[in-house]
Amino acid sequence: MPIVVNIDVMLAKRKMQSKELAEALGITQANLSILKTGKAKGIRFDTLEAICKALNCQPGDILEFVPEQP
């Protein structure tokens, strides 16, 4: 999939654990794990906004487009 989710990178930069982020977002750790691993089919803008607020970052810090190699 050409969209890479970099939540782990931002968590490390902010010295925050997944559990803390899940609590701040009001979602389960299992749902956060689905987002982190890129297995989610989509993300709601309000969830993306909450992640950006909690991690003090921009959407582009979380989501990255990486073209597939032919």
Side-chain angles (χ1 to χ4, degrees):
M1 177 176 235
I3 300 295
V4 177
V5 181
N6 293 316
I7 292 177
D8 280 336
V9 173
M10 292 307 298
L11 283 170
K13 286 182 179 180
R14 301 297 187 253
K15 295 181 169 70
M16 184 184 284
Q17 294 182 355
S18 294
K19 181 180 177 181
E20 294 175 76
L21 181 59
E23 289 173 1
L25 299 176
I27 64 173
T28 65
Q29 287 182 290
N31 283 339
L32 181 59
S33 177
I34 290 169
L35 286 173
K36 285 177 18 179
T37 58
K39 293 181 181 177
K41 299 271 185 209
I43 184 169
R44 294 176 50 160
F45 282 132
D46 60 339
T47 303
L48 182 59
E49 179 183 351
I51 292 169
C52 290
K53 283 182 181 178
L55 295 175
N56 191 28
C57 66
Q58 295 293 315
D61 297 327
I62 302 294
L63 303 174
E64 178 183 2
F65 176 72
V66 179
E68 293 180 355
Q69 297 295 325

